[in-house]
Amino acid sequence: MKTSDFYYDLPEKLIAQTPIEPRNASRLMLFNKANGEINHKIFKDLPEYLKEGDCLVLNDTRVLPARLYGTRIDTGAVVEFVLLKQKDLLTWEVLAGPGKKAKTGYKFKFSDKLSCEVTDVLEDGNRIIKFSCEGEFFSVLDEVGQMPLPPYIKAKLENKERYQTVYSKELGSAAAPTAGLHFTKEMLKDLKEKGIKIAYVTLHVGLGTFRPVKVEDIKEHHMHTEHYSISAETAEIINNTKKNGGRVICVGTTSCRTVESAMQKFGEIKECSDDTGIFIYPGYKFKCMDALITNFHLPESTLIMLVSAFAGYENTMNAYKIAVKEKYRFFSFGDAMFIS
């Protein structure tokens, strides 16, 4: 298939700029992948469509305030850094822009407590930087850093926690697992009381999530790698759900990629920690996931390709056409669909 097959026309006004309040007041498209039938609901209605014995798989990663603006100590030039991957506590791989102002040996100051030196320039243009920090690093980062919102969000985020899920726990993402933004703590409590199992996985989302597919033949696209982990408790919950005939419902494409990566590597869900560059597109046979809760994704992205692999290409593109017509809100702070 071609990348252009996954294009759809989206009016800019449908790109959600701010999160809706309360979280579960967003719209929910119910999408039956067997027959393509679509119904329109509100996210708080979701429990009506889940059954006792079903299992929700949630990604409990927490977003780093990973965007930093540093002033070069000798010239005053301002450079933006986005933290990508931690090498050790104070050494990170980062995006830097403009790159010509962030050469090896250059030093930058972010605040009275935080500064850095560029120690290496990698082949892909990313930098390795070494921080100097007065105080606990992540506490200082929380004071100085900004949320690395996607480039299509222009509005200022007033509350950092609105780009975190209510169950976020494991610090390390450069982007939020946005399907989970719709859940409230009360909703999760009600689901548990209804007999819905909750299983947590961790996948630290990389900025590659937002990178467009630049090749026309999708099979030539090289996926970025992301780190994931699955606990023994989660493995047991998911395996028991499958054994007892319940549905494994992934909340977001990141949860999907986590469980499918484990199944692909081990043939089962087991306690593990690994890196994955799994690329799911039409033709892929799902080994674990039975249903998916997800947001509406960018045209020609690997995420809409994953949805098409699960729901069927024609069904998916038709659902997106309907979502545009019905004026759903798109992307990170937008509405959701439940594909079953």
Side-chain angles (χ1 to χ4, degrees):
M1 297 188 79
K2 296 180 179 179
T3 300
S4 55
D5 291 334
F6 297 91
Y7 178 80
Y8 66 92
D9 190 35
L10 179 69
E12 191 172 342
K13 65 183 179 181
L14 296 185
I15 300 174
Q17 293 297 313
T18 55
I20 200 165
E21 296 293 348
R23 289 173 181 258
N24 60 358
S26 60
R27 295 169 73 186
L28 177 68
M29 176 185 282
L30 295 181
F31 182 180
N32 185 321
K33 71 186 184 77
N35 58 20
E37 183 181 330
I38 284 171
N39 288 286
H40 308 290
K41 301 293 179 181
I42 303 299
F43 197 84
K44 66 181 175 150
D45 300 329
L46 177 69
E48 297 176 30
Y49 305 97
L50 304 182
K51 297 173 285 194
E52 184 177 354
D54 284 344
C55 169
L56 285 177
V57 182
L58 307 178
N59 181 6
D60 66 3
T61 188
R62 187 166 175 80
V63 186
L64 286 162
R67 178 168 280 124
L68 294 161
Y69 292 93
T71 303
R72 192 171 142 193
I73 290 173
D74 56 351
T75 67
V78 176
V79 173
E80 178 190 63
F81 295 90
V82 179
L83 308 186
L84 295 179
K85 190 180 293 183
Q86 187 175 15
K87 301 296 186 179
D88 60 44
L89 178 60
L90 295 176
T91 304
W92 290 74
E93 181 179 341
V94 301
L95 286 175
K100 63 183 180 182
K101 294 183 179 179
K103 296 179 180 177
T104 303
Y106 287 5
K107 296 180 179 180
F108 296 85
K109 183 176 181 178
F110 305 103
S111 73
D112 290 340
K113 297 179 181 178
L114 192 66
S115 60
C116 82
E117 179 177 349
V118 178
T119 61
D120 197 8
V121 177
L122 305 181
E123 282 186 17
D124 60 4
N126 290 352
R127 269 61 176 168
I128 301 296
I129 64 173
K130 177 81 171 181
F131 284 105
S132 297
C133 182
E134 291 183 20
E136 199 278 316
F137 176 72
F138 288 109
S139 296
V140 174
L141 182 64
D142 196 50
E143 293 173 12
V144 178
Q146 299 179 22
M147 281 296 170
L149 294 178
Y152 49 74
I153 294 178
K154 312 297 184 188
K156 180 176 171 58
L157 182 65
E158 298 298 333
N159 177 4
K160 283 184 182 180
E161 283 303 308
R162 286 304 273 110
Y163 195 56
Q164 306 278 15
T165 63
V166 297
Y167 49 82
S168 65
K169 180 182 171 187
E170 302 295 336
L171 198 61
S173 266
T178 55
L181 296 177
H182 305 281
F183 286 91
T184 64
K185 288 181 178 179
E186 294 75 22
M187 193 173 178
L188 289 171
K189 181 172 176 285
D190 291 344
L191 286 168
K192 287 180 184 176
E193 290 174 355
K194 186 178 176 177
I196 311 301
K197 303 294 183 186
I198 307 291
Y200 294 99
V201 298
T202 303
L203 182 139
H204 292 316
V205 189
L207 284 181
T209 296
F210 303 115
R211 286 184 180 144
V213 178
K214 294 182 177 178
V215 291
E216 185 59 4
D217 182 349
I218 64 173
K219 293 179 181 176
E220 294 178 5
H221 177 66
H222 179 68
M223 284 287 283
H224 56 286
T225 59
E226 296 165 318
H227 188 73
Y228 73 90
S229 58
I230 299 173
S231 68
E233 179 186 7
T234 286
E236 183 179 8
I237 293 171
I238 293 174
N239 290 332
N240 285 340
T241 298
K242 300 293 277 189
K243 185 172 70 174
N244 296 328
R247 295 178 297 174
V248 173
I249 303 166
C250 290
V251 176
T253 57
T254 61
S255 297
C256 168
R257 297 209 314 277
T258 300
V259 297
E260 292 297 321
S261 294
M263 286 295 288
Q264 192 175 72
K265 182 165 185 176
F266 304 111
E268 62 178 335
I269 301 298
K270 60 187 285 187
E271 182 179 9
C272 58
S273 182
D274 201 1
D275 291 333
T276 181
I278 191 170
F279 182 17
I280 297 175
Y281 54 86
Y284 178 86
K285 303 298 182 188
F286 287 83
K287 303 167 183 65
C288 183
M289 183 174 76
D290 300 303
L292 175 66
I293 296 168
T294 189
N295 281 21
F296 293 90
H297 304 295
L298 277 73
E300 302 184 332
S301 65
T302 60
L303 305 181
I304 194 173
M305 293 172 190
L306 184 154
V307 172
S308 297
F310 184 62
Y313 172 75
E314 297 290 345
N315 279 349
T316 300
M317 300 313 290
N318 182 57
Y320 271 70
K321 186 177 179 181
I322 291 170
V324 170
K325 182 182 176 184
E326 296 293 328
K327 294 182 169 55
Y328 273 71
R329 301 167 78 244
F330 279 69
F331 306 161
S332 296
F333 287 139
D335 298 316
M337 61 164 63
F338 177 35
I339 310 170
S340 61

